[in-house]
Amino acid sequence: MSTCDWISFLQFPFNYPARNPLFWLLLSPGIVFLGAVAGGSSLPVELFFVLLGVSYPGAFIMFAVNDLYDADTDEWNDRKLVKDDVIDPDEDYWIVWGWTGVFTVFAMLPILFFGKPSTTVLGSAILVSAIAYSAPPTRLKASPIGSVVLTAVGGWMLYALGYSFTADVFTVPSRSFFYGLLSHMGVSLGALPDMEADRQAGIETFPLRYGTATTIFVALLTVIVTLASGTVSGPVFWYLVVLCFGLVSMWVFERYVLHFKALLLAGFGFLVVLLYRGIFAVV
């Protein structure tokens, strides 16, 4: 590699947009944290390093690999073209996989050093799932059923990963399944703005197979069932209440982008306020 190649390689994580900050700042580390809280009252200091590993490093692995193999789709995606947020599969192929290897080490080292064997298995499975979601030969995101199963199992594994740090993973409560459903809900809603690009590229996502209204209805039903199950409490409960009203407005008025951004902003702000006031009774 030439000097310019090395510079491009080193600059890539900084130039690559911090895609979906809600995912890597709150959702993924949050599910791991909730699992750890459910497993025991005292949280090990080492858990902090695991949360760092599943934040930006974990998000980079998932989204950069996804964008690498979504290059054909992104050519039809006005949202990404406007932001110049398209990876060149020819120029960036080895850069993406090189940094995927680096961030895999960052994500797995705390799990290997501080976790149990079951924690290592879960961490490895999460990484494999994140890559299998987008990369061939599996590329499960192109299958409506495959994407549902993988995202739901992935959300559950994140919860179980945190739980395994403070308890025996084989005693993980059955309510953890709802975090898998919520993960699938987030991925399905996130695919709604890209429906036209996915249609042009021939990728049959869940929204394309079942339609916008059905996708939003399933998301709404998931939130209602989760709230009714008593799975969550404290700020997470109230965040889902805000989300529920936002989904109702999306379903009734069919204005996805406007209402989705509004409900995310309102829900995130509400959660921050509750955390600031010290109301953190989550399970």
Side-chain angles (χ1 to χ4, degrees):
M1 292 176 66
S2 65
T3 302
C4 291
D5 291 335
W6 277 111
I7 292 175
S8 298
F9 179 81
L10 294 174
Q11 289 178 338
F12 189 83
F14 303 98
N15 294 337
Y16 183 70
R19 294 277 309 283
N20 295 295
L22 184 67
F23 180 91
W24 62 267
L25 283 175
L26 184 63
L27 181 60
S28 187
I31 294 177
V32 175
F33 181 78
L34 291 175
V37 171
S41 56
S42 61
L43 301 179
V45 177
E46 297 84 358
L47 182 66
F48 171 76
F49 299 100
V50 177
L51 295 178
L52 286 180
V54 299
S55 59
Y56 189 80
F60 180 94
I61 294 170
M62 181 169 186
F63 291 116
V65 172
N66 177 75
D67 288 351
L68 179 65
Y69 292 101
D70 267 1
D72 293 340
T73 307
D74 293 342
E75 290 179 359
W76 301 94
N77 195 327
D78 294 336
R79 181 169 57 90
K80 291 188 178 181
L81 290 174
V82 169
K83 296 180 180 179
D84 193 23
D85 189 10
V86 179
I87 287 180
D88 188 318
D90 296 320
E91 294 183 4
D92 299 329
Y93 181 86
W94 291 112
I95 295 178
V96 169
W97 280 111
W99 277 110
T100 295
V102 172
F103 282 129
T104 295
V105 173
F106 271 97
M108 286 301 298
L109 275 180
I111 294 174
L112 290 170
F113 275 102
F114 305 125
K116 307 168 187 174
S118 58
T119 311
T120 302
V121 172
L122 283 168
S124 302
I126 291 169
L127 284 170
V128 171
S129 299
I131 294 173
Y133 178 74
S134 303
T138 50
R139 194 162 169 72
L140 293 175
K141 70 171 294 181
S143 165
I145 303 302
S147 63
V148 169
V149 173
L150 189 64
T151 53
V153 172
W156 176 86
M157 287 194 297
L158 285 170
Y159 186 93
L161 178 70
Y163 190 89
S164 68
F165 265 86
T166 52
D168 185 354
V169 71
F170 294 105
T171 64
V172 63
S174 57
R175 64 175 179 266
S176 60
F177 175 71
F178 287 100
Y179 289 98
L181 293 180
L182 290 173
S183 297
H184 163 65
M185 178 200 72
V187 171
S188 295
L189 290 176
L192 283 175
D194 301 332
M195 286 179 66
E196 184 56 36
D198 290 334
R199 182 182 289 109
Q200 295 286 355
I203 298 177
E204 191 178 21
T205 59
F206 188 89
L208 272 181
R209 167 72 71 86
Y210 300 105
T212 301
T214 300
T215 300
I216 296 174
F217 176 75
V218 170
L220 178 61
L221 185 63
T222 299
V223 174
I224 292 174
V225 171
T226 302
L227 290 172
S229 70
T231 302
V232 295
S233 61
V236 177
F237 176 89
W238 291 109
Y239 176 74
L240 291 181
V241 170
V242 174
L243 185 66
C244 189
F245 281 105
L247 289 170
V248 169
S249 70
M250 288 165 56
W251 191 40
V252 172
F253 297 106
E254 296 184 356
R255 291 292 303 277
Y256 168 73
V257 176
L258 175 64
H259 288 92
F260 186 59
K261 288 183 177 180
L263 71 89
L264 279 181
L265 182 62
F268 185 72
F270 192 63
L271 184 60
V272 169
V273 170
L274 288 174
L275 292 175
Y276 179 77
R277 294 181 59 188
I279 306 174
F280 205 64
V282 291
V283 293

